[in-house]
């Protein structure tokens, strides 16, 4: 019988083993190195790191966006209280750039508006025996609102799980925020703008409301103001400065609204001086050319309407007083002028503010703007400060942050509050009308649309009501505010002096 022979394979040589082991090590080292140098794409849950390290997305306050500081932690704590209570609650998202600002809306303006929104959240939640409670989400659209579309998409995906009923804020009027508003409106999520003025935001279909005054209403009020000056002072000369920057719907709305209103009321405009901001580095040069045209010795106009943003108004003021030039003109602009100071903090820009003050005082120029809100305007509308909600709002504001009550005079915290508070009241009314299980974006939208007539909301800026056909503010006056040069005392209140009220 033959024997079967089995040939066993030879063991691999040491050379082969070492080669295989080396290959494995190379792969492991590559993986480790890749992980070590792979960019971290998450700043926090719901917040993604974008180009340049900017953190963009939606947070419940657990992550502090650069513009907000410690107010984020306070919002987080209030949200935790609502969650632990187990009581019926809804969510409101506050949407705008929280990375340091957009255009002339610097971090201080954003921080004030969000602080006002948080106070509104506290007021709704602390009211005994009432529901629903409010959770507040912070939605950062990124610098210049570059990621507004992505953030809105994120909000819509979390709508049902988070019981999101509305969005407040919006920040500034530009093509990106306009697209964001359109997307929310199409999805049936109502929006209440706090600091947004562009006319294109106006609702063609139900969905967009605002406590801020649109640019055309501001421009019309300004045209009537200048018409009164021409009627009182024969020969009163008026010129218009306009910014031709592409894609800025605020500037375009302000200019077109003013020229249309001027024609309606018979206001004489002597000439229009155009410039284009942001076209190239050294954009302030354009305002120096404008100042040369306006500040002509012996021929300076009596009045100027400035159809541009607050950052450009500041550059114009600096140019007007350059080398202590005299330019005794009265300049009136729109709501964006509130941001004239937002680029520079007193902590870091003392020398810069001092130079601005020297030039401004030397020029003799007077600057005014149509404001969304001012504490003194609120007092006038309510028939006295103590008859309205502002004193309680001021107390809560000072409890939250150090500083003086003068910080409220620019109105940003007031309208941030009123946008969120109005949504909270609409949610309560939706519960009363439709029942506790029917507080949805559609029912809140319905009740926001009914916020008019005798069904108003007592906001800190005045009584909040919306025109039924447009969602625009109605039955409330805007404030005429004088901007003051910076002082060595650092008194924020003197920078925003109430002059009177104007009808939209």
């Amino acid at each position: 019988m033959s024997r079967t022979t089995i040939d066993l394979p030879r063991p691999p040589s040491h050379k082969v083993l070492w080669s295989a082991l080396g290959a494995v090590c190379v792969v492991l080292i590559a993986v480790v190195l890749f992980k070590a140098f792979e960019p971290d794409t998450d700043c926090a849950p719901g917040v993604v790191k974008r180009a340049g390290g900017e953190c963009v997305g939606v947070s419940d306050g657990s992550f502090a966006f650069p513009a907000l500081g410690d107010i984020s932690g306070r919002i987080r704590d209030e949200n935790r209280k609502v969650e632990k209570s187990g009581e019926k609650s809804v969510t409101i998202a506050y949407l705008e750039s929280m990375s340091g600002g957009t255009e002339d809306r610097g971090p201080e303006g954003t921080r004030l508006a969000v602080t006002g929104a948080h106070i509104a959240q506290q007021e709704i939640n602390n009211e005994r025996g009432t529901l629903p409670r409010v959770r507040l989400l912070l939605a950062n659209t990124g610098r210049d609102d570059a990621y507004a579309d992505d953030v809105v998409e994120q909000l819509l995906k979390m709508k049902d799980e988070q019981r999101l009923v509305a969005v407040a804020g919006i920040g500034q009027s530009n093509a990106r925020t306009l697209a964001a508003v359109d997307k929310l409106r199409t999805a049936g999520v109502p929006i209440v703008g706090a600091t947004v003025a562009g006319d294109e935001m106006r609702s063609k279909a139900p969905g967009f409301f605002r406590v801020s005054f649109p640019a055309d209403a501001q421009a019309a009020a300004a045209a009537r103001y200048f018409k009164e000056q021409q009627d009182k002072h024969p020969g009163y000369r008026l010129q218009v400065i306009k910014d031709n920057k592409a894609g800025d719907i605020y500037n375009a709305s302000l200019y077109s609204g003013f020229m249309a209103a001027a024609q309606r009321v018979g206001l004489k405009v002597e000439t229009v001086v155009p410039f284009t901001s942001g076209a190239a580095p050294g954009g302030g040069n354009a305002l120096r050319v404008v100042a040369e045209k306006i500040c002509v010795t012996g021929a300076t106009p009596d009045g100027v309407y400035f159809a541009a943003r607050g950052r450009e108004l500041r550059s114009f003021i600096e140019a007007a007083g350059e080398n202590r030039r005299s330019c005794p003109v009265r300049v009136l602009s729109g709501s964006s002028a509130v941001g004239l100071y937002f680029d520079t903090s007193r902590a870091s820009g003392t020398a810069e503010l001092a130079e601005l003050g020297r030039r401004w005082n030397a020029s003799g120029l007077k600057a005014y703007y149509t404001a969304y809100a001012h504490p003194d305007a609120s007092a006038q509308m309510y028939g006295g400060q103590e008859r309205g909600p502002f004193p309680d709002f001021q107390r809560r504001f000072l409890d939250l942050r150090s500083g003086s009550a003068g910080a409220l005079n620019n109105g940003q915290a007031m309208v941030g509050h009123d946008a969120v508070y109005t949504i909270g009241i609409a949610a309560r009314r939706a519960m009363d009308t439709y029942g506790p299980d029917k507080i949805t974006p559609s029912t809140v939208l319905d009740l926001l649309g009914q916020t008019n007539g005798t069904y108003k909301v007592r906001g800190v800026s005045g009584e909040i009501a919306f025109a039924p056909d447009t969602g625009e503010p109605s039955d409330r006056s805007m404030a005429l505010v004088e901007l003051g040069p910076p002082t060595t005392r650092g008194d924020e209140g003197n920078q925003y002096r109430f002059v009177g009220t104007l009808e939209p």
Side-chain angles (χ1 to χ4, degrees), residues 46-340:
V47 183
V48 178
K49 187 175 289 184
R50 299 288 191 168
E54 182 181 13
C55 293
V56 174
V58 181
S59 172
D60 65 353
S62 299
F63 180 82
F65 293 113
L68 302 185
D70 65 350
I71 194 65
S72 298
R74 294 177 183 272
I75 290 170
R76 176 202 60 213
D77 293 345
E78 184 68 20
N79 287 338
R80 295 288 185 274
K81 279 174 56 180
V82 171
E83 292 158 7
K84 288 179 180 178
S85 74
E87 295 182 300
K88 189 73 176 178
S89 67
V90 296
T91 297
I92 300 169
Y94 200 92
L95 176 81
E96 74 164 272
S97 172
M98 300 174 186
S99 294
T102 297
E103 295 291 347
D104 58 348
R105 185 165 175 75
E108 179 63 13
T110 302
R111 186 160 49 249
L112 286 167
V114 173
T115 299
H118 175 51
I119 294 172
Q121 178 193 22
Q122 288 180 314
E123 289 174 351
I124 293 287
N125 291 342
N126 292 341
E127 190 70 28
R128 284 163 46 86
T130 61
L131 293 173
R133 304 298 186 208
V134 168
R135 293 177 68 250
L136 187 62
L137 296 181
L138 301 171
N140 178 21
T141 56
R143 192 174 299 278
D144 295 327
D145 298 304
Y147 303 101
D149 184 72
D150 293 343
V151 174
V152 166
E153 193 64 39
Q154 185 180 352
L155 286 172
L156 293 179
K157 287 178 180 177
M158 60 200 307
K159 179 178 68 171
D160 294 335
E161 180 185 350
Q162 299 282 344
R163 300 184 300 282
L164 178 72
V165 295
V167 171
I170 307 304
Q172 288 207 328
S173 309
N174 55 52
R176 294 170 294 281
T177 54
L178 175 59
V181 165
D182 285 341
K183 178 174 277 193
L184 287 165
R185 184 162 42 204
T186 300
V189 177
I191 312 105
V192 178
T195 60
V196 61
D199 296 336
E200 286 84 348
M201 298 282 180
R202 185 173 293 127
S203 285
K204 299 180 181 68
F208 180 75
F209 307 85
R210 55 180 150 195
V211 298
S212 49
F213 294 97
D216 61 354
Q218 296 182 50
R224 289 193 297 271
Y225 170 83
F226 278 124
K227 179 65 167 103
E228 290 176 5
Q229 301 307 309
Q230 287 188 343
D231 290 344
K232 291 177 184 176
H233 310 287
Y236 189 97
R237 296 173 52 230
L238 175 68
Q239 297 183 6
V240 174
I241 298 173
K242 63 170 292 195
D243 187 352
N244 285 329
K245 182 179 181 180
D248 194 316
I249 63 177
Y250 168 82
N251 292 339
S253 297
L254 215 57
Y255 175 71
S256 61
F258 184 80
M259 298 305 284
Q263 189 171 14
R264 286 196 306 270
V265 301
L267 174 65
K268 297 175 184 177
V269 176
E270 188 176 274
T271 189
V272 176
V273 182
F275 74 99
T276 303
S277 67
N285 294 347
L287 274 305
R288 275 157 176 74
V289 174
V290 171
E292 293 286 348
K293 293 181 177 181
I294 297 292
C295 306
V296 179
T297 303
T300 302
D302 300 291
V304 164
Y305 187 67
F306 196 82
R309 291 193 176 273
R311 180 175 291 167
E312 280 62 55
L313 177 59
R314 174 167 170 170
S315 293
F316 174 72
I317 292 171
E318 289 171 337
E322 192 171 19
N323 295 324
R324 298 188 178 273
R325 172 170 48 197
S326 175
C327 190
V329 62
R330 176 168 294 199
V331 179
L332 176 57
S333 191
S335 52
S336 176
V338 70
L340 185 142

